[in-house]
Amino acid sequence: DVSRPCGAQYFNNDKEWMRTEIMTNVLTKLNSKMKCENRHNNLFFLFLDNESCHPSSLKGKFSNVHIEFLPKHTTSNTQPRDAGIIKTWKLYYKRKLLRHVGSEIDGKKTASEIVRSVNLLMSI
């Protein structure tokens, strides 16, 4: 769990897969944040597939995050569509990041320093 610009959190593991511990940690933090903001009337809805890292025990566990599971055997229908969108977004983001780094290099900062100063909102 490493802090990033704009308060975003980054998680990773050796296999680059989501794990139940990470999912529970993220949802617990989101639920706490929504409680602190008194967002009791504005529930956060999250739709999950039946992946093993999304245990059914998460449903009903949080007061401000409402979890619903997609019907079984629907992931194969939706995931290929998601993959194309995600791939396109990653390419767009990386291209924009490289342009930004190139425009900011002036001898005072290294490329690594510039990349660390970038946040996700800058890509929009």
Side-chain angles (χ1 to χ4, degrees):
D1 179 8
V2 178
S3 291
R4 296 287 184 206
C6 290
Q9 297 292 309
Y10 174 79
F11 301 89
N12 70 334
N13 63 51
D14 294 339
K15 294 188 178 185
E16 298 180 7
W17 293 350
M18 176 58 75
R19 292 190 334 246
T20 301
E21 303 83 38
I22 294 173
M23 176 63 93
T24 304
N25 185 2
V26 169
L27 292 175
T28 300
K29 287 180 180 181
L30 176 62
N31 192 63
S32 295
K33 180 178 180 184
M34 294 190 65
K35 274 183 174 178
C36 289
E37 293 175 1
N38 279 332
R39 293 180 64 179
H40 299 287
N41 296 328
N42 300 329
L43 285 176
F44 184 89
F45 282 86
L46 181 63
F47 294 93
L48 300 173
D49 60 14
N50 294 301
E51 183 63 39
S52 61
C53 63
H54 306 149
S56 59
S57 61
L58 292 175
K59 188 172 181 174
K61 181 175 181 173
F62 305 101
S63 59
N64 292 67
V65 178
H66 184 80
I67 296 174
E68 287 294 332
F69 287 90
L70 296 172
K72 291 184 180 196
H73 311 297
T74 58
T75 302
S76 61
N77 294 330
T78 59
Q79 201 169 35
R81 293 179 193 112
D82 293 344
I85 293 167
I86 292 167
K87 181 180 179 184
T88 301
W89 187 87
K90 284 181 177 180
L91 288 170
Y92 174 80
Y93 178 79
K94 287 177 183 178
R95 183 181 314 130
K96 197 158 185 172
L97 176 63
L98 286 172
R99 285 184 184 148
H100 174 73
V101 170
S103 70
E104 292 290 314
I105 293 179
D106 59 6
K108 295 178 185 173
K109 292 190 225 174
T110 66
S112 295
E113 290 170 329
I114 295 167
V115 169
R116 281 194 298 270
S117 71
V118 170
N119 66 58
L120 187 60
L121 296 176
M122 294 170 82
S123 69
I124 297 173

